Amino acid sequence: MNHTVKFNLNGSPVEVQVKSNEKLLDVLRDKLGVTSPKFGCGVGECGACTVLIDGLSVRSCITFAVEVEGKNVVSLEGLQADGPTKIQKAFIKNNAFQCGFCAPGFVMSATELIEKNPSPTEEEIRHALAGNLCRCTGYKNIVDAMNEVSQENKEEGR
Amino acid sequence: MENFRYLKPAAIDKALSLKKELGSKARFLLGGTDLFIQMDKGFVVPETVIDLKGIDELKGIEKKDGYVYVGARVTWTQLIESDLIRKEFPALWEASDIVASVGVRNTGTLVGNICNAVPSLEGGSPLLAYNAAVLVKSSQGEREIPAADFFTGVKKTALADDEMVTGVKIPVKNGKFGEVYVKMGRYEGEDLAQAGVAVVVDDKNNYRIALNAVAPTPVRAEKAEALLSGKKLDESLAEKAAELALESISPISDIRSSKEYRLHMCRVMVKRALMASVSRMETGKPALNTRLI
Ligand SMILES: Cc1cc2nc3c(=O)[nH]c(=O)nc-3n(C[C@H](O)[C@H](O)[C@H](O)COP(=O)(O)OP(=O)(O)OC[C@H]3O[C@@H](n4cnc5c(N)ncnc54)[C@H](O)[C@@H]3O)c2cc1C
Ligand code: FES
Ligand code: FES
């Protein structure tokens, strides 16, 4: 079955032809040119494909593209209209990635966390990012970066 | 993956009449965190997928007439964010908070979890320990299935082909109670349970113990419950009950752990869950989510 799916992608309305069995991840990457979400495992385990749908982090590798009809989809590309975000800057400063493959997913998950809880504890950070896998960093620098964001937000009274 | 017909009805009746017409050729879709993967791997090849996320009646958590109703569309994240669940059903809260990862919990649902009915399912033990009921509708009418009768085997439930689960109904407890859900997994973020234990106790010394991932379906440890019934818990009683709980389970060895390890750990987990439930009832501690293993 074919569908015309209309949704908001990174703030702009888009319209795309898809079949029922097409994955959101493939449609974003191959049909809409949004390549920050990555194909890591394809079964929901690694978080490399994470995007926000109506503000919640979702695994686009196990989401049908037809499911986003009428929704707001945000990928990393949509966060940095005004340059890197506070989270991205903290990632850069702390060397929170090496190959970088996991980074877009981490930043999306971290963005959702900080929206809900601007100054999380380290335990809360680890719990929230537990579903994002990184094969390079050993996670320490990622957690350091997030601790820094949390501390900054606390100082700013968020 | 094969192409399929995707339908998103806005009313339950429409979804039910479609299911009656199409039977096993159609599948309901909630979060899709199980169904998508099964379709992607070709394990299930539905001709039609009926997305239930357009049906407002299936939303929401509501307390009414001595029960809490959880609609089919309620996600793990919504359960975790519900003060009602946190206060009244801490074992379900703890189980929800340890399912997969935020990204899976944001779309995955309790109802999808029980309909999928794999032995490791996190939702099963709490519902059994609560004596919850599964709410079922078809175009012919509706019925309630006690959680203990809902699971009939590995990936098998008591649902007929034309039936839909609309939600679950959990009795609200009167008086003081304490509860715990403990999961043994290898790491946080994606791992299915190697074993899981839910315990609910009340101040009249009623004990309910349920386990998942250690039998084809989630099970109640009835012999252990009978031993404990009416008695005040102490460490040696908890140990005896934990030993007896092993008679209710039949774990297998698989990729996640051996049968022997599961048996060993169930004894440890049942004992600690019992002690922690009573302690929570009496002192409010250990806090939710404290690691017991
Ligand atoms: C990476 C990853 C990690 C996971 N970790 C865990 C874990 O730690 N613990 C755990 O328990 N689970 C885990 N799961 C499994 C899964 O997330 C849960 O089982 C989830 O709750 C299923 O809900 P859903 O809404 O996604 O269901 P769906 O996939 O939408 O549906 C599941 C099944 O139920 C049927 N169905 C759906 N709605 C209805 C209805 N209303 N009536 C009748 N049938 C229906 C569907 O046709 C399908 O067969 C994990 C999954 C992934 C991908
Ligand atoms: S690619 Fe989606 S979770 Fe791994
Ligand atoms: S930086 Fe390489 S996977 Fe994380």
Side-chain angles (χ1 to χ4, degrees):
Chain A
M1 189 174 173
N2 296 308
H3 308 263
T4 306
V5 179
K6 293 183 194 164
F7 62 105
N8 257 300
L9 177 59
N10 295 327
S12 309
V14 292
E15 199 178 303
V16 62
Q17 303 294 324
V18 302
K19 292 206 229 56
S20 306
N21 61 351
E22 283 187 81
K23 298 173 192 188
L24 179 60
L25 177 61
D26 293 346
V27 170
L28 290 174
R29 291 181 58 86
D30 302 340
K31 291 195 166 161
L32 296 165
V34 167
T35 54
S36 72
K38 302 285 185 268
F39 183 98
C41 64
V43 289
E45 288 180 358
C46 75
C49 63
T50 302
V51 296
L52 302 182
I53 301 183
D54 291 347
L56 298 178
S57 66
V58 167
R59 278 137 205 246
S60 64
C61 71
I62 54 168
T63 303
F64 296 112
V66 281
E67 291 180 83
V68 300
E69 171 71 39
K71 306 265 182 208
N72 274 306
V73 179
V74 175
S75 68
L76 191 71
E77 286 85 345
L79 296 180
Q80 45 192 18
D82 307 317
T85 63
K86 191 189 268 185
I87 292 170
Q88 288 175 297
K89 284 181 191 155
F91 267 58
I92 294 166
K93 186 171 154 223
N94 286 278
N95 271 325
F97 37 84
Q98 290 176 23
C99 79
F101 196 81
C102 67
F106 265 102
V107 172
M108 298 317 289
S109 298
T111 300
E112 179 192 29
L113 167 66
I114 294 297
E115 275 300 312
K116 286 192 172 174
N117 180 3
S119 42
T121 62
E122 178 161 334
E123 208 183 320
E124 288 168 338
I125 292 166
R126 288 188 180 272
H127 187 56
L129 299 182
N132 289 79
L133 302 187
C134 173
R135 299 291 83 162
C136 306
T137 64
Y139 304 102
K140 178 165 186 311
N141 295 7
I142 295 171
V143 174
D144 288 350
M146 291 308 296
N147 273 328
E148 217 169 276
V149 171
S150 173
Q151 190 57 34
E152 265 176 55
N153 284 344
K154 196 179 278 168
E155 280 158 19
E156 289 166 14
R158 279 191 70 190
Chain B
M1 195 191 310
E2 297 286 320
N3 203 358
F4 55 87
R5 184 160 71 129
Y6 170 88
L7 302 172
K8 191 176 176 185
I12 284 193
D13 289 350
K14 178 72 190 160
L16 290 174
S17 64
L18 280 166
K19 192 76 170 98
K20 176 157 177 59
E21 178 195 329
L22 302 167
S24 62
K25 290 187 196 141
R27 282 292 186 126
F28 290 129
L29 173 71
L30 286 165
T33 61
D34 284 318
L35 185 63
F36 188 105
I37 293 169
Q38 288 159 10
M39 288 172 62
D40 207 25
K41 292 190 172 156
F43 297 155
V44 294
V45 188
E47 279 172 19
T48 302
V49 168
I50 307 169
D51 191 347
L52 302 180
K53 293 193 292 295
I55 303 175
D56 285 346
E57 284 166 86
L58 299 176
K59 271 187 181 171
I61 302 170
E62 197 191 358
K63 189 172 175 177
K64 210 174 66 187
D65 308 330
Y67 292 93
V68 165
Y69 292 82
V70 178
R73 286 180 61 190
V74 173
T75 62
W76 298 112
T77 296
Q78 288 165 350
L79 288 168
I80 299 163
E81 290 178 351
S82 156
D83 287 336
L84 188 62
I85 299 297
R86 198 184 168 97
K87 271 202 219 96
E88 310 244 11
F89 304 106
L92 178 59
W93 188 90
E94 277 184 318
S96 306
D97 197 49
I98 198 76
V99 170
S101 56
V102 178
V104 171
R105 295 197 289 269
N106 278 342
T107 53
T109 61
L110 172 64
V111 164
N113 187 248
I114 63 171
C115 290
N116 197 52
V118 295
S120 64
L121 86 173
E122 235 77 60
S125 289
L127 294 184
L128 254 65
Y130 294 142
N131 288 328
V134 180
L135 307 172
V136 174
K137 266 196 182 152
S138 73
S139 47
Q140 320 297 322
E142 48 190 298
R143 61 181 180 134
E144 286 180 14
I145 307 176
D149 301 334
F150 182 75
F151 303 100
T152 54
V154 176
K155 296 188 148 202
K156 291 200 174 75
T157 68
L159 280 187
D161 265 349
D162 64 342
E163 287 181 318
M164 176 202 294
V165 174
T166 57
V168 298
K169 161 181 161 183
I170 315 174
V172 175
K173 296 176 286 298
N174 301 312
K176 278 177 78 175
F177 64 86
E179 326 181 346
V180 160
Y181 176 80
V182 205
K183 172 179 184 170
M184 175 169 72
R186 293 162 299 181
Y187 36 79
E188 206 194 321
E190 53 148 321
D191 203 21
L192 301 178
Q194 295 162 297
V197 175
V199 167
V200 179
V201 304
D202 67 26
D203 56 0
K204 288 167 210 78
N205 293 322
N206 293 309
Y207 297 82
R208 286 181 251 144
I209 306 168
L211 299 102
N212 51 289
V214 287
T217 65
V219 288
R220 284 276 286 270
E222 282 165 3
K223 284 186 185 167
E225 292 176 2
L227 171 79
L228 293 165
S229 182
K231 299 193 184 104
K232 199 168 158 44
L233 192 76
D234 60 29
E235 207 163 326
S236 87
L237 186 60
E239 240 159 60
K240 282 189 200 116
E243 185 70 43
L244 213 50
L246 304 188
E247 291 183 19
S248 300
I249 62 177
S250 48
I252 55 163
S253 294
D254 65 8
I255 189 169
R256 287 195 291 280
S257 70
S258 69
K259 171 185 168 183
E260 292 73 20
Y261 186 50
R262 284 192 160 105
L263 283 167
H264 174 80
M265 285 307 290
C266 279
R267 185 182 320 148
V268 173
M269 289 158 71
V270 170
K271 180 184 165 193
R272 291 191 192 171
L274 280 166
M275 297 301 285
S277 298
V278 171
S279 167
R280 265 187 193 162
M281 175 168 70
E282 288 169 352
T283 68
K285 287 186 182 115
L288 279 189
N289 254 0
T290 303
R291 295 194 78 95
L292 296 179
I293 51 168

